[in-house]
Amino acid sequence: MAYPPSDSTRYSLTFTVPHSALAVCKSAIFATGAGTYPGGKYTQVCFQTPGVGEFTPSEGAMPYIGTVGKAEVVEEMKVNVLCVGREVMIKAVEALKRAHPYEEASYEVYRMEDI
């Protein structure tokens, strides 16, 4: 990725993932340039927090973990990554959706402000 990017808008991408798929998801989003700080001196940067996810797959779901109609509790990691530029953010979300094992990946994107 060339620096500085033409769009320096910063976004925060946060997602949860089971431990077994953590490395695959991080590799996929890092390949898009996500996790690279302005100036390019730091790459593949993220913050990880262990936690517990809970969900109940409904009728018609094809759960990666669990059974339809039964509550499931899964140890997961919550990962936060900086995306510089809207294009990087969009590519990172697309890569996450392709790499994530869940039928519906859980993620959030926030536009950040410079203060």
Side-chain angles (χ1 to χ4, degrees), residues 1 3-14 33-40 45 80-90 92 108-115:
M1 165 168 272
Y3 277 88
S6 58
D7 174 9
S8 61
T9 306
R10 295 178 307 132
Y11 298 88
S12 176
L13 168 61
T14 301
T36 301
Y37 271 63
V45 177
N80 182 257
V81 179
L82 175 69
C83 299
V84 178
R86 183 171 175 78
E87 183 178 337
V88 170
M89 179 270 295
I90 289 170
E108 302 169 343
V109 176
Y110 299 98
R111 183 177 173 166
M112 300 169 66
E113 297 291 331
D114 286 323
I115 297 178

Side-chain angles (χ1 to χ4, degrees), residues 37-94:
Y37 271 63
K41 293 181 183 178
Y42 295 91
T43 62
Q44 299 185 7
V45 177
C46 68
F47 187 82
Q48 301 174 160
T49 308
V52 177
E54 182 176 341
F55 56 91
T56 302
S58 298
E59 192 65 38
M62 297 175 57
Y64 173 75
I65 297 173
T67 305
V68 171
K70 181 181 175 205
E72 188 69 38
V73 176
V74 180
E75 289 189 18
E76 296 178 319
M77 291 296 281
K78 186 174 195 176
V79 182
N80 182 257
V81 179
L82 175 69
C83 299
V84 178
R86 183 171 175 78
E87 183 178 337
V88 170
M89 179 270 295
I90 289 170
K91 287 181 178 180
V93 169
E94 290 170 350

